[in-house]
Amino acid sequence: MSSLAFALRCLRDPRRIGAIAPASKALAQTIAKEVRRADPGVLIEVGAGTGAITRALAAGGLASDRFVVIERDPDFARLLRRNFPALEVLNRCASSVNSLVVDALSVVTLVSSLPLMSMPKAEARQSVEAMLALITRQPGSRLIQYTYAAPHLQPFKSVPPGWRWRRVASVWINLPPATVWSLEPVAHMAPHAY
Ligand SMILES: C[S@@+](CC[C@H](N)C(=O)[O-])C[C@H]1O[C@@H](n2cnc3c(N)ncnc32)[C@H](O)[C@@H]1O
């Protein structure tokens, strides 16, 4: 899908699309590199949109146990199914992510493009609660979320006890510039984390 078509969809539902352009290659690669830093286990992408990040995650034969994509917009979901026939694409709200059946011992890596600041507040709250419920029930899991806010502003404050945000990188070659964050248990943080 072209950037123009993405922008047109943004005009139709600006709060849920939350951006004027798909993720840039630089942003997608930054996220894919962060995902590869550890065994992703079951990889779940929410709010995949045009699949710009999906493509980077799927490239190079990422060794995930399973790759599930969740996208609420039916047109984007159709496009994702067409472009990634090998992936499980679910056309539903991210607030249902915790109902996915995942082996009790599997690590989950959740990658979120959800526009948490602009999407309807109740939907954002329910989606965050569902993502937190999923990563806290699966030991060793984490949430990678990017934001367009100022680089020091974490995606959301209400993190479970013993979990912290780690700022991965700011990507200036993106419209708008984005900051990638990883929410992980304090005990599992990389030495350079703060
Ligand atoms: C910033 S755009 C994603 C951009 C995407 N990374 C790309 O490069 O095309 C946000 C996406 O989240 C999706 N979205 C918004 N609310 C959602 C929800 N509650 N559940 C699932 N997807 C949602 C939108 O339809 C949109 O595709």
Side-chain angles (χ1 to χ4, degrees):
M1 180 179 286
S2 70
S3 296
L4 176 64
F6 184 93
L8 290 175
R9 182 138 299 121
C10 178
L11 287 178
R12 201 177 69 185
D13 194 356
R15 295 178 68 192
R16 286 200 175 91
I17 302 301
I20 48 170
S24 64
K25 270 211 172 101
L27 176 58
Q29 279 164 6
T30 299
I31 292 171
K33 186 172 162 210
E34 175 59 25
V35 167
R36 287 193 175 90
R37 215 169 51 79
D39 177 0
V42 175
L43 181 57
I44 304 172
E45 185 187 2
V46 295
T50 58
I53 294 171
T54 320
R55 184 162 292 106
L57 292 172
L62 181 68
S64 58
D65 302 337
R66 183 178 163 202
F67 190 172
V68 184
V69 175
I70 296 181
E71 170 53 54
R72 190 183 189 283
D73 180 287
D75 292 336
F76 278 147
R78 237 187 324 274
L79 179 81
L80 289 160
R81 283 199 185 107
R82 198 169 64 227
N83 290 344
F84 304 98
L87 303 186
E88 234 177 302
V89 177
L90 306 176
N91 178 207
R92 51 162 99 151
C93 180
S95 58
S96 68
V97 72
N98 189 33
S99 65
L100 283 180
V101 176
V102 178
D103 184 275
L105 294 178
S106 283
V107 165
V108 169
T109 303
L110 196 47
V111 173
S112 166
S113 294
L114 293 178
L116 295 173
M117 288 195 311
S118 64
M119 64 196 273
K121 282 206 172 356
E123 199 173 301
R125 184 176 41 77
Q126 287 159 8
S127 298
V128 166
E129 281 172 6
M131 293 193 293
L132 292 179
L134 178 62
I135 59 169
T136 53
R137 84 169 201 229
Q138 302 291 139
S141 300
R142 60 195 172 126
L143 164 65
I144 297 169
Q145 168 83 49
Y146 65 89
T147 72
Y148 301 124
H152 66 284
L153 290 179
Q154 299 169 347
F156 53 85
K157 295 279 178 213
S158 53
V159 303
W163 289 67
R164 295 282 184 280
W165 285 111
R166 176 171 59 84
R167 188 160 69 84
V168 174
S170 287
V171 181
W172 305 105
I173 314 168
N174 193 73
L175 198 63
T179 299
V180 180
W181 293 85
S182 174
L183 180 64
E184 23 190 271
V186 174
H188 291 175
M189 282 194 154
H192 63 274
Y194 62 89

